[in-house]
Amino acid sequence: MNKKQHIIKNIKKRSKAARLGMKPGESVLSINGQEIIDIFDYEYLMQDERVVLEIADLEGNVRILEVEKDPDDDLGIEFENGLMDEYRSCHNKCIFCFIDQMPKGMRETLYFKDDDSRLSFLQGNYVTLTNMSDYDVERICKYHLSPINISFQTMNPELRCKMLTNRFAGEALKKVDKFMEAGITMNGQIVLCKGVNDGKELDYSISELIKYIPNLESVSVVPVGLTKFREGLYPLEPFTKEDACEVLDLIHKWQDVCMERFGSHFIHASDEWYILAERELPEEDNYDGYPQLENGVGMLRLLLDEFEEGLKEVLESPKLLKKLQKNTLPVSFATGKLAYPYIKRMADKFRKLCPNREIYVYEIENRFFGPMITVSGLITGGDLIDQLSDKPLGQVLYLPQNMLRSGETVFLDDITLEELKKALHVRVDIVKSSGWDMIQTFLNHK
């Protein structure tokens, strides 16, 4: 029993693994005679149509299972460690790192800096490439694992070393060439810092990045997030309205070039830039199918368009419209500064349809991290309690799903959802971040 054991946490009901009699607590030792190091090996080996599994039960007894399957079939196994290996922490000291800007005393997991290429494949995390070994690169190319999401920051090697505080950061960019040669799909990200990698540096970076099209499918440009806990850190300044306009003008110039040459906009500005510049959001076609949605690129446009489509469906259905207008129970919404104008716009349209219904929408200032943090995903339970305690909340308070950690009911400051309900004396429901879910919220509230 010297082989690495990967303990099974859960078996999906009616899955192939369940039919084979596999159980939680058992371990997978090898596939097709090959030991599994991590998720890279597992995903690659499971693509075979005939799979031979070596399984150890709770007593250490080993048995062999043979499975006939389609290449894309999932056995239905969930492992205790989704990565199937130890998580690799980041060794960079980036001048813009958000974790370095957090206060002390928060739960330990919030201080973990991941920079693991396997999480890029598994969960879509962005990696700097500096913590990726040549062996990792070889396996990604061999297994043809895609997409890999890369935090470029800049294509200037010397500047990249400075931004990541890592003398190997510039050299790490050569790994992108290896992915390109192997046909690996990539997405990119640039965290823009005023006076550092913006202006001419951003222009240069985009000119270099388009050389990797089509393997590099998209790149997002997001402004650095600055909290009030930056004492002793690199002196970064917030972007102004004028700065945002310059960033957007540059990005739009390159979008025109890329559309003409490649049929894709390729380089995208996150929603914050348009809010700061006080410009209208681009139309849906400008987002190329929203490849950078998780980076806040097009999130508000998608929200608005889904809402308008859902509202049109309601207006065209006498049954749904009657159901909407019949419901007069008061409700409230709370969100961050970034999304507030758009949530309010939606609520105003419902008020016109339902004049007898009270709908409250509240903009929550981020006092925990500081007012320059405007996204709803970083709002804490404490800020919600402090700013909503004396406000009318109606029968239920609705909060966006991203305020809570995935799969949990706790806010960043460790206040639980149940504690929030008790403090505000109101029912609290979580709404998914889509326009249609907003429609459903208004239709089905009881």
Side-chain angles (χ1 to χ4, degrees), residues 90-315:
C90 179
H91 300 300
N92 301 317
K93 295 183 179 179
C94 300
I95 62 173
F96 51 83
C97 181
F98 192 85
I99 294 176
D100 289 340
Q101 303 178 69
M102 293 203 302
K104 297 179 180 179
M106 302 178 74
R107 62 181 179 272
E108 187 177 346
T109 54
L110 294 178
Y111 298 102
F112 181 77
K113 300 179 184 181
D114 74 72
D115 193 23
D116 201 313
S117 58
R118 298 165 299 182
L119 287 177
S120 180
F121 164 70
L122 189 65
Q123 300 176 359
N125 294 21
Y126 280 76
V127 294
T128 67
L129 305 177
T130 59
N131 294 308
M132 185 184 294
S133 68
D134 291 338
Y135 176 65
D136 292 330
V137 173
E138 290 173 5
R139 287 203 300 159
I140 290 171
C141 296
K142 173 187 174 182
Y143 295 166
H144 205 79
L145 297 174
S146 293
I148 296 296
N149 299 320
I150 302 168
S151 285
F152 288 102
Q153 318 319 353
T154 176
M155 292 301 287
N156 178 338
E158 291 183 10
L159 179 58
R160 196 169 196 260
C161 291
K162 175 184 174 182
M163 292 188 70
L164 275 59
T165 319
N166 184 327
R167 62 192 178 98
F168 301 109
E171 187 74 14
L173 289 172
K174 293 181 180 179
K175 295 169 184 175
V176 181
D177 296 308
K178 294 184 178 180
F179 293 147
M180 182 76 173
E181 293 170 5
I184 302 298
T185 300
M186 298 169 280
N187 289 292
Q189 170 187 266
I190 293 175
V191 177
L192 210 62
C193 301
K194 185 174 179 176
V196 181
N197 61 337
D198 56 349
K200 292 182 179 180
E201 288 291 349
L202 177 60
D203 190 46
Y204 171 76
S205 291
I206 298 172
S207 70
E208 289 296 299
L209 288 168
I210 66 173
K211 297 176 182 178
Y212 295 105
I213 296 173
N215 294 76
L216 183 58
E217 295 184 328
S218 67
V219 175
S220 63
V221 179
V222 301
V224 60
L226 302 176
T227 79
K228 62 184 182 183
F229 304 102
R230 287 197 58 83
E231 186 176 350
L233 299 178
Y234 188 94
L236 291 175
E237 298 178 9
F239 287 97
T240 64
K241 176 183 176 181
E242 183 181 355
D243 297 328
C245 290
E246 291 178 1
V247 169
L248 290 176
D249 289 343
L250 178 60
I251 289 175
H252 292 162
K253 180 198 79 171
W254 277 108
Q255 285 184 337
D256 291 341
V257 171
C258 291
M259 275 299 294
E260 183 177 346
R261 291 176 58 182
F262 309 109
S264 164
H265 292 88
F266 178 68
I267 186 79
H268 299 276
S270 64
D271 295 347
E272 294 104 312
W273 295 113
Y274 294 96
I275 306 300
L276 184 57
E278 298 180 7
R279 292 186 182 181
E280 285 295 319
L281 297 167
E283 295 300 317
E284 180 183 5
D285 291 345
N286 288 67
Y287 290 104
D288 299 335
Y290 300 106
Q292 292 278 350
L293 202 60
E294 294 302 315
N295 266 329
V297 176
M299 190 173 290
L300 292 175
R301 168 52 61 198
L302 183 60
L303 177 72
L304 290 174
D305 287 354
E306 288 178 339
F307 178 83
E308 291 297 334
E309 291 174 10
L311 187 60
K312 181 181 179 182
E313 186 175 326
V314 170
L315 293 174

Side-chain angles (χ1 to χ4, degrees), residues 323 327 357 398 427 439-446:
K323 180 180 180 181
N327 195 335
R357 188 177 192 185
Y398 289 106
R427 186 177 121 206
I439 299 286
Q440 293 293 329
T441 296
F442 282 106
L443 280 173
N444 299 321
H445 169 64
K446 297 179 181 179

